[in-house]
Amino acid sequence: MVKRSEAELDLIFHALADSTRRGILRTLADGKRTVGELANPYEMSLAAVSKHIKVLRHADLVKQTRDGRLQQCEFNPAPIKQAAETLAHLASFWDDRLSELADFLTTYTPPTGPDKE
Amino acid sequence: MVKRSEAELDLIFHALADSTRRGILRTLADGKRTVGELANPYEMSLAAVSKHIKVLRHADLVKQTRDGRLQQCEFNPAPIKQAAETLAHLASFWDDRLSELADFLTTYTPPTGPDKE
DNA sequence: TCGACATTCAATCAAATGGTTGACAAATGT
DNA sequence: ACATTTGTCAACCATTTGATTGAATGTCGA
C-alpha cells in the first residue's frame, strides 16, 4: 500500500530495462560486491559500469558504501516490490499474494558475499 | 521456466518505463480500447500516443487489430509473466508461486471493454 | 465519388542514453 | 613523499527517445 509515485516507477523500470544492469543486480542478489568486482565480467570500461551502478542507485535498487578504498554495493529489493505491485495490478489478480511479497521484501536481508564484513 | 532473451526483457521493461504507457496498459487491463479512446485522456498529440502504443506492441504487451476504421487495442499479459519472473528471480524467492502465476497468465482472457465485439 | 473520420507515417527537433577517454580524488602501501 | 589502487567526474560523441506538425492512408457514410 506504499504510495508510489509514477516518477519512481519510471526510474525502477528504466533501471531494469538494460541487460547489463539486470546482470549486476543478479550478481548482487548473491551478496555484496565492489564496483570492480561487478565490472570485471563486462567488456566495457569501469567508468561505464560505474555509471550503470549510478542508475541503479538512483532507482534505489543499490546501496553503496565506502569501505576503505573500495565501494561496496548492496542490493536493495524494496523497489522491486513496487515494480511487482505494478505488474500484479496490471494483471489485476494476485493481490492476496502481494502482502506476503511485501512482508518478505521488507524483512529481506541479502546473503553475505565473498567479501569480508 | 521459459528461457527468455535479454533483448525481450529490454523491450518489456523499457515499455513499462514510461507513465503514459503504464497508464495505457492500466486502461487496457479493463478491456479493449481504440487508439482514439486511449489517447483522449492525454494532453499530447494522437500521433504521440500512437507511437507509445507502437512501443507496447513491439514489446508484445498490446495486440492491435483493425475494426473498420478503428484500431482496437488489447492487452496481452504474457510478457508480464517474463517481467514478473525476472523480478521474482532477482528477489530469489517466490518460485513456488511462479507456476500459479504462469498458469493464470496463459489462460487469462481480458474483460470486454465498452466497445462492442 | 466526395468528404469526414481514425490512424499512421515522415520529417524534424531537443533531450536523454550509453559508451569512450583522460583528469581527478581518496585510501593504502612502500 | 610518492606511486598504486579504486572509483567518480567531465567532456565528448553517436544513437535513441519522445514530442511536434503536416501529409498520407484507409474506411465509412451520404
Side-chain angles (χ1 to χ4, degrees):
Chain A
M1 210 61 64
V2 189
K3 174 69 180 173
R4 50 188 189 281
S5 77
E6 290 298 310
E8 276 181 281
L9 286 172
D10 286 356
L11 291 176
I12 296 166
F13 281 119
H14 168 70
L16 292 170
D18 180 284
S19 77
T20 299
R21 290 194 288 265
R22 290 193 301 275
I24 290 171
L25 285 183
R26 285 190 207 100
T27 302
L28 285 181
D30 186 51
K32 286 185 182 179
R33 296 288 191 285
T34 70
V35 172
E37 287 170 336
L38 289 172
N40 244 329
Y42 299 98
E43 296 290 326
M44 71 188 74
S45 68
L46 176 64
V49 173
S50 176
K51 285 209 281 186
H52 278 302
I53 294 172
K54 191 179 183 180
V55 171
L56 292 169
R57 231 176 344 184
H58 199 218
D60 201 32
L61 281 159
V62 164
K63 305 279 196 188
Q64 198 168 335
T65 55
R66 180 173 273 285
D67 177 23
R69 61 182 155 183
L70 302 174
Q71 292 282 348
Q72 293 288 347
C73 300
E74 186 172 356
F75 175 47
N76 177 33
I80 297 289
K81 182 180 73 169
Q82 303 192 24
E85 279 182 12
T86 300
L87 299 188
H89 190 258
L90 272 180
S92 66
F93 72 107
W94 201 27
D95 292 299
D96 49 336
R97 316 240 177 258
L98 221 54
S99 55
E100 308 175 34
L101 171 57
D103 289 345
F104 183 96
L105 285 171
T106 50
T107 61
Y108 174 84
T109 51
T112 53
D115 58 298
K116 61 183 176 309
E117 198 72 349
Chain B
M1 200 63 68
V2 194
K3 182 63 181 174
R4 285 309 173 182
S5 79
E6 291 295 311
E8 273 180 284
L9 286 174
D10 286 356
L11 290 177
I12 296 166
F13 281 119
H14 169 71
L16 292 170
D18 179 283
S19 76
T20 299
R21 289 194 290 265
R22 289 194 301 275
I24 289 170
L25 286 183
R26 284 190 208 100
T27 302
L28 285 181
D30 184 50
K32 287 184 182 178
R33 295 289 191 284
T34 69
V35 173
E37 286 170 337
L38 289 172
N40 244 327
Y42 299 99
E43 296 290 325
M44 72 188 73
S45 68
L46 177 63
V49 173
S50 177
K51 285 207 280 185
H52 278 302
I53 295 171
K54 191 178 182 181
V55 170
L56 292 168
R57 228 178 334 169
H58 199 219
D60 201 32
L61 282 159
V62 165
K63 304 279 196 188
Q64 198 168 336
T65 55
R66 179 173 274 285
D67 177 22
R69 59 183 156 179
L70 302 173
Q71 291 283 347
Q72 293 288 348
C73 299
E74 186 172 356
F75 176 47
N76 177 34
I80 298 289
K81 182 180 72 170
Q82 302 176 218
E85 280 181 12
T86 300
L87 298 187
H89 191 256
L90 272 180
S92 64
F93 70 108
W94 203 25
D95 293 300
D96 48 337
R97 318 239 174 260
L98 221 54
S99 55
E100 306 176 36
L101 172 56
D103 287 346
F104 182 96
L105 286 169
T106 49
T107 60
Y108 173 85
T109 50
T112 53
D115 59 297
K116 62 185 179 307
E117 197 72 351

